Amino acid sequence: MNDSYDVIIIGSGLGGLTAGAQLAKAGCKTLLIERNTSVGGAASTYKAGDLVIEASLHETSAPDDPSDPKHAVLSDIGVLDKVTWVPTGSVYEVRGGPLGAPFTLPDGIANARAAMIDRFPTLGEGIGDILSEMERIATGLGQLSRGRASFDDPLAGLSALMKAMPVVGGWRQSLSQRLSAAFGDNEGAKCALAANLLYWHDDPDTLWWILFAVAQGGYIGAGGRYVQGGSQRLSNAIAKAFRASGGELLLRRTVSEILIGNDGLPVGVVHEGREGDRVEVRARVVVGNAAPSVMAAMLPDATRQRFFAPYAEQPLSISLFSATIGVSERPQQFGLNSYATMLLPEWMRTLSDYRRGSDVLAGLPGEALPPLAVVNYAAVDSGLGGPPYPVSVVGVDRIANWRGLDPEAYEAKRSAWRDALIAALDRTYPGFAGSVTNCVFSTPVTMNSYLGTPEGAVYGFAPLPPKAPIWRGQVRSPRTAIDRLFLASAFAGCGGYTGAILGGANAARHVLATLPVSKK
């Protein structure tokens, strides 16, 4: 291994991998350091006995569609066709809450419009307006991302889009404000269009409408996709492209220090193995696929405050619990037919009630359950096999719900919630519980430990409307207050899988603009 590089990348989540693949392809001598035994971060797949567990990725918007903002990035690094993107069918089926009878939101803007108007015939004008606006925003961002020279970072891209495209009610609206303008006080219609809220946030009153429109508009417009065989295949494909271009990958090594020179700029890192051995490597540029707080802890005291100050007041995203349940029979036998189903609890009478979901996890389970996302991988050609057939159940959670518990109490609570979720599915899909073979339950503590994200925040910063015009702020950008130190993580952009890939690509562009021409 060389001891001097153009770029060192800390962390091999999708952001770090994407940045590495693009930089190595551009001719930069690049070292990627990962503390775990494999690449991928949240985009990972593993096994517990015979049960295949998808660590986090249920689906993503369709990168095989040219309108998707990830399309150009994955094409550029040569991995778009290296995995199979399996269509997931309808956006979701939603049951419960203020909706009453189940409702299926199909993919395709025209199909979604027809289904919504059929269910809510008095809201035809509002349904047409809001879906058209979502389509314009989602496809507009995809078009902008293909003109990469002007696509500096995700929020700057959105700012350019907003300047060029009028948005009903203004670009700083929350999701609740926009839905109320379209649907009035019809909470059923709001839930029909935004039942999968937990894929971004837990409070429609504070979720930025533009980010929701980009993401949900992409799902509706081009449909969702799952990586056949599991998200690990996507991570492995990007890692392979990185190595094929000359990039070097170190696993099971933890970066403990970012070295800063006398001029206040990065000069390398120190990484350690599990035996505590310290190795110093040099580079002109350092990129972190990590949370700003994690990066700050690696910096010397004299630099730490200046680096972290822009992030100090930024609220973190929600965390999640995730249960992967193995069943011996195909879930369709019990009526779980859709790939994605959103189960809204009976106590939920408005979409804004969503924010109470994490409170339910504060104690042991009772009658109330939080809103749940249920994913039946056997409903599509997922490649995850079976039996046992994996079913994922996810809900909003916070690390505070699990703090202060001794190991015995923590395990008891985890076991109780595992049983409560299985019982809830059995009530909705009779016979389900009798088919369960095993279950792996992860909490925000798990997210914090495995992903290294503060408070288990899975989406980076909370997706709130900007307080100032987004084209003036640089907080959610690959750039940091320290020159030649960049971020390539969900914290550098819009969060989620698309945000992580775009964040990595944008970090690479900034690095290439920073390095001498001879390194490109």
Side-chain angles (χ1 to χ4, degrees), residues 293-477:
S293 60
V294 173
M295 298 286 290
M298 300 174 186
L299 289 166
D301 292 343
T303 308
R304 186 174 300 150
Q305 178 58 32
R306 182 160 63 95
F307 169 82
F308 191 66
Y311 309 105
E313 303 302 320
Q314 294 294 308
L316 296 170
S317 81
I318 59 172
S319 190
L320 302 170
F321 69 81
S322 176
T324 300
I325 304 168
V327 292
S328 59
E329 307 291 336
R330 288 188 178 275
Q332 293 91 314
Q333 294 193 21
F334 312 113
L336 184 54
N337 296 314
S338 297
Y339 176 79
T341 303
M342 306 297 148
L343 298 180
L344 306 183
E346 292 307 313
W347 56 261
M348 185 175 158
R349 306 317 307 158
T350 70
L351 183 64
S352 292
D353 284 340
Y354 224 112
R355 61 175 171 257
R356 294 168 48 199
S358 62
D359 295 340
V360 176
L361 275 292
L364 293 173
E367 291 186 6
L369 288 169
L372 301 173
V374 182
V375 177
N376 171 20
Y377 293 101
V380 301
D381 186 17
S382 68
L384 298 188
Y389 300 98
V391 174
S392 284
V393 184
V394 177
V396 177
D397 202 352
R398 302 194 185 276
I399 205 167
N401 289 335
W402 300 88
R403 273 206 180 106
L405 300 176
D406 62 41
E408 184 178 349
Y410 177 86
E411 196 51 49
K413 181 175 179 178
R414 203 162 66 136
S415 229
W417 274 106
R418 184 168 56 230
D419 293 345
L421 292 174
I422 291 171
L425 290 180
D426 193 65
R427 288 192 293 273
T428 306
Y429 306 105
F432 182 90
S435 185
V436 172
T437 60
N438 56 333
C439 178
V440 175
F441 190 95
S442 299
T443 74
V445 175
T446 317
M447 309 294 180
N448 171 255
S449 174
Y450 180 66
L451 300 177
T453 183
E455 301 295 308
V458 293
Y459 303 133
F461 292 120
L464 312 181
K467 294 180 180 178
I470 51 183
W471 51 89
R472 296 180 186 171
Q474 298 300 332
V475 171
R476 297 191 188 182
S477 164

Side-chain angles (χ1 to χ4, degrees), residues 27 51 95 125 133 161 208 219 225 250 361 395 447 451 493:
L51 177 63
R95 295 174 172 235
E125 182 177 356
E133 185 174 310
L161 182 64
W208 191 20
Y219 281 129
R225 298 292 186 273
L250 273 181
L361 275 292
M447 309 294 180
L451 300 177

